[in-house]
Structures are given as structure tokens and as C-alpha cells.
Amino acid sequence: MSAVSPDPCDLTIQEAARLLRRGELSAVELLSSVVQRIVATEPHVHAYVVVLEGEARAAAEAADAALREGRDLGPLHGIPVAIKDIVDVAGVPTRCGSRVRQDAAPAAKDAACVARLRAAGAVIVGKTTTQEFAAGVVSPPARNPWDPSRIPGGSSGGSAVAVALGSALAAIGSDTGGSVRIPAALCGVVGLKPTFGSIATDGVYPLAWSLDTVGPLARTVADAALVYDAIADPGRPSARLELDHNLDGIRIGVPKAHFFERVQPGVAAAVEHGIRCLRALGAEIVEVNWREAAAARAASFVINRVESVAVHAQGLRSMPDRYGDELRLRLEAAALFPAEGYLRALQARTLVQATVAGLFREHRLDALVAPATPGTAAPADDLHVVYDDGSREPVGLAYTRLTMPFNLTGQPVLSVPCGFDDRGLPVGLQIAGRPGGEARVCRIGAALEQAITLPRPPLAHLAMERTGGEERP
Amino acid sequence: MQSLDHLAIERFGRIARIDLPEERLARIAERLSELVAMAAELDELPLDGVPPAGSFNPEWQEESA
């Protein structure tokens, strides 16, 4: 950690919430600190497409007034949160990172998750950079907070960058093939892909209907759980239920096949260290063989591609030139894919869900753990993951290889930082639980987080030093 | 994998009602081959008679208990 005290924007949500209630920090001061951090870091990382400073300041002032009057909306009251730019925020165009939507009208109303955040008292800071229509893992022009010559991952890249740097205390992303977990892993923050269907996707631009999920990114597991609780559909169990529990009696499966094949050595070492920590914390670790994992990825890939072309069929016919070249190629290819192939992928989903359920039942598992990505952040000028045998894999295929199986199964998955590779780039470990088991994956992730203390990105230190590292009130 | 021929790609494009410019056909064929290769990985699964799942099955939790 830096020698200087953290600015308010470097506090966790829990820490900030405590200070707000004691009257030792105001929501306006917290927002000002976030805006200062945005000003200091945006030229390097381009996390935001728009910062809603005026609206956010008014919301922060209202939050302070409410607290003074004894109206406390809960743990997110006065907390600055950023929103991925495929999610509607009332009064702001949702441009989805695409020229297709360059003339989009301002959204008429908030997406369901944004409305729930506001109801919980959150202050919406702005909208974050996304890969075009959330279809990809690069998120240009956003850059990685640990090394701005590298990509942040995607498609919720701007959300992960903002959280890593203190340009927001939490952010909303979406995960159809790994788009919360991949940037969380590459930027060294926590990302939760919830159980499919647990958070309403109303007001979120679709990528693939049967796979799309909305999820939070935050700097700690407890903070991610707080945001999940605020935006989850009514009646869902709290993700915070087990945060204070230890790992005694927890059984964790390690699926070596598929998930530990063709992985950079620095990633494998950090994840294996994380697994040893989980064992030391009391969890029982068992090696398991999920034979259908590669097929799960393949089926998820096919469904993702075909459903996304259905979303964009009209646009592809009427304004193909407005799509970025990469997405246009992807859509054109998927438009030609035979229907029978899509149907077989849906059949595979039935089989794969049964096999992973059987795996949990047979081994009495609480979770599976694996690397979130097979490699750390790739250079922005060479979009490949390079392995120790010299082989290269395009980032779009590499980063989704380990995340996509769980989009097919629909189970909740938490990506937690577990260390660094030899270049000093963060590595993420993903924890996949049973459907509806957000509390259990957060329990495991929180325990791991206590065991592995990680520093903040260099850019955050630079910004702290520039502002003199104001004393925490 | 052998590349798909451009004539076939053009025909498929007409069926899908999308205009595929000649200069893009090679790259589209490459991407389609990638997708077909991915789908071929499903050939190893015993899918005969398996009903398709249009979305995630929320009963998974009970089945795994």
C-alpha cells in the first residue's frame, strides 16, 4: 500500500457507508473524490463514455439531506456507482459502444437494475466503456489500470477499470460469455455473474437472450454482495447471508480437464496458490472430472453467436456499415449458421446441465474453482494470449474458454483476484456455485480475499499522490 | 478445416437476406468455419432423443442436492 492515506474514493462501500452514517464523510465529499480520480486517470484509461457530474452531485446532495433528516436507504445510500453503456439510465442515450446507436435518443426510463440502485440510495456517476454491443473482450478505447498499454478485458471493461481505480465504488456490468468475470480478472477486482434470471434484464440491450445476465463489479466480495442484494429480483436470498462464516465443511471441486489445460504458468501458479489457501482455511478440496466442460463451452459459443445475430438481423440488413468490422464479421458468419446446429447446442444445454448437477451431487460440492481466464491482460497492439510453448490464441477465443461453460449452466460465478503473474498483472480465480447459491460463492470468495491481500493499481497510487492523499476524516 | 466455398456463402447470404460484398467473403468464410468447428465439438455428446433447453433450468438446484 502507498504511504499516503486513501482518498475517500479508495474506501470500500462498507467503509464509506460507516463514515457517512457517523457524519465523518458526506456523499458530496465522496463524489468529489471520485470525480477527482476520474479527472486524474481518464486520460490514461478511458473507462467512461460519459460522466454525469451535475446529476450525480444533485443526487449526492439529496443523499446527504436525507441522512440528516434520518432517512437512511441502506448500505448504498450516497455511494457512487457506474453503469455499463448497454444499460439504460433515464435521460442518457444508451450507445452500446456502437455507431449503430450514435443517434440514439436519451433513454426514457432507467433499466430495472438502475432503478433499484437509485431506490437503494446509490449515486449514478456515469456510463462506462463497453465493447460494441457487449460482444467481445477488448473494450476499446479503455485500457488496463495495471498497465495502460494493455487491454482491460470485456465487454464490461470500463466498469472494471473504474472500480479498480476508485473512479466508482462499484459498477454494473453484464455477463453473457464472461463479460463481468473477464475484465474483473484482468483488472484485479471482484465480479459476480449471478444465477441466470436472478436480476431483471429490462432496459439492458440484449446480446443473447438465453444467456444474458447483469452483475456487479466491486473492490471486495462484501461490496459486490451488497450491490447484488440491491439489484436482485425480490425474493432472492441475500448474497451476504454467509459472509461471516468460515470454510469448515465446505467442499470445493477442482476440474482439472479443460480449465487447467493451456493456461499461462503465472495464472496456473496464482490459482493453485489460491486453492492451497482455501484448503488452509478449512475447505475440503477434491479433484473432479467434468468431462463435458469443453462441450459446454462449445454449446455456449454457438448459442451466443446465433442469438446475437437474431438481435441484430434488422440492423445488419439496413445499416451494415455502421457496425464495427469485427462485430459485423461475427454477425454475418452467424447469420449463415444452420438452424440444426443451434438446436444441437440447445440439446447440449440439457445434457450439460444434467452432468454438472450430477457432478455437484456425486461429490457433494459447494462450488467448483478454476482460473477465470487462461492468461492475463494482453497488449492492446497484439490481441493474443501467448503461452509458454510459444503458441498464440486470439483473446476473443482465449478469455471466454473458461467462462462460457458457466453461462450455459446458468449457475452463479464469482471472480476474485488471487495474485499476479510475473509481469505484475492480476489473475482471477472463479468460484462457481449451485443455482441460487450466491451466498455460498461469496462466502468462499470473502474467505480467500482475507487470505490474499493485494495492492492497488499503480495509476491509483499516482492519482492519490497528486491529490496529496487527503487524511481520511 | 477446409474453408467453405464463396459461392455457398453467397447463397446462404441470400437466404438470410443479407448483402455480403465479394471482398468480405473470405473473412466471413473463415469466421463461419470457426463456428462450425466449435459446433463439431458437440458431435461427441450423446444427443439423440435429448430435448432442447431454451434456457437455464431453475430446477438444477434441486437436482444437485
Side-chain angles (χ1 to χ4, degrees), chain A residues 257-294:
Chain A
H258 185 75
F259 291 98
F260 287 81
E261 295 163 354
R262 208 179 184 204
V263 170
Q264 287 178 338
V267 170
V271 171
E272 280 159 12
H273 173 65
I275 292 170
R276 285 195 297 276
C277 287
L278 291 171
R279 191 196 303 272
L281 289 163
E284 193 174 344
I285 307 294
V286 290
E287 195 168 317
V288 299
N289 184 11
W290 183 17
R291 284 185 299 273
E292 295 78 11

Side-chain angles (χ1 to χ4, degrees), chain A residues 391-412:
Chain A
S391 64
R392 295 158 56 81
E393 188 178 17
V395 290
L397 292 174
Y399 289 144
T400 57
R401 181 152 47 84
L402 310 185
T403 51
M404 275 187 162
F406 300 116
N407 293 94
L408 193 77
T409 59
Q411 60 204 106

Side-chain angles (χ1 to χ4, degrees), chain A residues 210 295 298 301 317 325-326 328-329 332-333 335-337 344 346-347 349-350 353 356-357 361 409-410 434-435, chain B residues 12-13 16-18 24 27-28 31-32 38-39 42-43 47 50-57 60-61 63-65:
Chain A
S210 77
F301 190 96
R317 288 177 193 129
D325 187 58
E326 189 59 32
R328 182 177 167 187
L329 269 177
E332 287 168 333
L336 310 181
F337 187 72
R344 284 177 63 75
L346 298 185
Q347 289 178 288
R349 171 148 58 191
T350 302
Q353 286 181 170
V356 79
R361 186 173 54 241
T409 59
R434 295 165 181 257
Chain B
F12 290 152
R17 292 183 292 137
I18 53 173
R24 298 180 63 79
R27 295 169 70 210
I28 294 168
R31 291 306 173 92
L32 183 55
M38 196 65 80
L42 303 180
D43 292 347
L47 295 178
V50 176
S55 69
F56 162 68
N57 170 16
W60 202 98
Q61 171 70 12
E63 287 173 15
S64 64

Side-chain angles (χ1 to χ4, degrees), chain A residues 184-209:
Chain A
L186 269 49
C187 294
V189 300
V190 174
L192 175 62
K193 182 204 88 67
T195 306
F196 180 84
S198 64
I199 299 173
T201 55
D202 307 36
V204 180
Y205 206 95
L207 175 58
W209 295 289

Side-chain angles (χ1 to χ4, degrees), chain A residues 127-460:
Chain A
K127 304 199 74 178
T128 54
T129 307
T130 172
Q131 181 95 18
E132 186 173 17
F133 287 111
V137 299
V138 179
S139 310
R143 291 296 179 92
N144 194 291
W146 295 86
D147 177 351
S149 74
R150 293 174 183 272
I151 62 170
S155 61
S156 311
S159 290
V161 176
V163 168
L165 288 174
S167 298
L169 271 66
I172 298 300
S174 64
D175 192 318
T176 303
S179 286
V180 162
R181 290 163 287 158
I182 293 164
L186 269 49
C187 294
V189 300
V190 174
L192 175 62
K193 182 204 88 67
T195 306
F196 180 84
S198 64
I199 299 173
T201 55
D202 307 36
V204 180
Y205 206 95
L207 175 58
W209 295 289
S210 77
L211 300 168
D212 288 342
T213 59
V214 172
L217 297 100
R219 285 201 290 276
T220 67
V221 174
D223 283 359
L226 270 175
V227 177
Y228 170 81
D229 282 0
I231 62 177
D233 290 354
R236 293 277 168 180
S238 166
R240 291 179 286 162
L241 280 175
E242 300 181 13
L243 282 179
D244 298 333
H245 297 205
N246 62 31
L247 298 189
D248 290 347
I250 294 291
R251 283 174 64 86
I252 295 174
V254 180
K256 288 285 184 182
H258 185 75
F259 291 98
F260 287 81
E261 295 163 354
R262 208 179 184 204
V263 170
Q264 287 178 338
V267 170
V271 171
E272 280 159 12
H273 173 65
I275 292 170
R276 285 195 297 276
C277 287
L278 291 171
R279 191 196 303 272
L281 289 163
E284 193 174 344
I285 307 294
V286 290
E287 195 168 317
V288 299
N289 184 11
W290 183 17
R291 284 185 299 273
E292 295 78 11
R297 188 280 175 103
S300 198
F301 190 96
V302 169
I303 294 169
N304 184 317
R305 292 294 192 272
V306 175
E307 291 187 3
S308 62
V309 81
V311 171
H312 291 282
Q314 189 54 41
L316 200 54
R317 288 177 193 129
S318 62
M319 47 181 155
D321 294 337
R322 284 206 183 182
Y323 284 91
D325 187 58
E326 189 59 32
L327 178 57
R328 182 177 167 187
L329 269 177
R330 171 175 161 163
L331 294 171
E332 287 168 333
L336 310 181
F337 187 72
E340 198 219 345
Y342 175 67
L343 203 58
R344 284 177 63 75
L346 298 185
Q347 289 178 288
R349 171 148 58 191
T350 302
L351 192 77
V352 164
Q353 286 181 170
T355 62
V356 79
L359 197 69
F360 271 71
R361 186 173 54 241
E362 179 189 348
H363 296 281
R364 292 176 290 113
L365 298 177
D366 294 285
L368 294 169
V369 296
T373 59
T376 52
D381 61 1
D382 180 14
L383 297 174
H384 291 82
V385 173
V386 181
Y387 300 97
D388 60 342
D389 62 0
S391 64
R392 295 158 56 81
E393 188 178 17
V395 290
L397 292 174
Y399 289 144
T400 57
R401 181 152 47 84
L402 310 185
T403 51
M404 275 187 162
F406 300 116
N407 293 94
L408 193 77
T409 59
Q411 60 204 106
V413 194
L414 183 74
S415 178
V416 187
C418 67
F420 295 89
D421 70 1
D422 55 7
R423 293 189 194 89
L425 298 168
V427 174
L429 176 150
Q430 57 178 344
I431 304 164
R434 295 165 181 257
E438 278 77 5
R440 190 63 49 86
V441 297
C442 287
R443 170 182 175 176
I444 296 167
L448 183 64
E449 178 179 72
Q450 294 301 314
I452 300 177
T453 306
L454 300 172
R456 299 294 306 282
L459 272 177

